[in-house]
Amino acid sequence: MIRIDCPFCGPRDMDEFTYIGNADVAWPPLDAPQEAWCEAVFFHDNPRGMVRELWQHTLGCRSFLIIERDTLTHEIGRVTMAHPAEVAALAPARADSPTRSETMEPAE
């Protein structure tokens, strides 16, 4: 089982989180031509090794996190809070999702 160390809630099972996508992908605007979306969705890179991913702690504090994960071993590296601009760019439909992280302090 993969464990993710949430900055607010501490180590939790991966089942509490929702994978949103690669944090380094530049998605086309919503009104972009169909070809641009086809390219972005179906013909993107699938890198081996450490990647930066956007996740949300949906069954916990609901924070958006940038997680560095090795795609070969599933080892979790650094976990940091996602900047609101990153969330808006990578998951515009979720950008307005309520979170408690704005009023909470990270766990020590």
Side-chain angles (χ1 to χ4, degrees):
M1 174 64 67
I2 296 175
R3 304 271 295 168
I4 297 174
D5 192 6
C6 176
F8 294 103
C9 305
R12 298 289 193 263
D13 286 341
M14 180 185 80
D15 296 343
E16 290 189 15
F17 297 82
T18 301
Y19 171 80
I20 297 173
N22 186 319
D24 295 324
V25 169
W27 293 102
L30 295 176
D31 60 351
Q34 182 176 354
E35 294 78 20
W37 275 101
C38 183
E39 183 72 26
V41 172
F42 297 108
F43 300 106
H44 57 81
D45 290 335
N46 190 10
R48 296 175 66 171
M50 285 301 246
V51 296
R52 289 175 7 101
E53 300 172 330
L54 179 65
W55 291 68
Q56 185 179 20
H57 193 178
T58 49
L59 298 181
C61 63
R62 301 196 51 80
S63 296
F64 291 93
L65 306 171
I66 299 293
I67 297 175
E68 293 178 4
R69 183 180 65 86
D70 190 308
T71 59
L72 296 175
T73 65
H74 298 294
E75 179 182 345
I76 300 292
R78 193 167 67 149
V79 178
T80 58
M81 295 298 302
H83 189 276
E86 289 176 298
V87 176
L90 297 169
R94 294 178 182 256
D96 295 328
S97 178
T99 67
R100 291 186 282 153
S101 62
E102 290 134 3
T103 60
M104 297 174 65
E105 291 296 321
E108 299 276 332

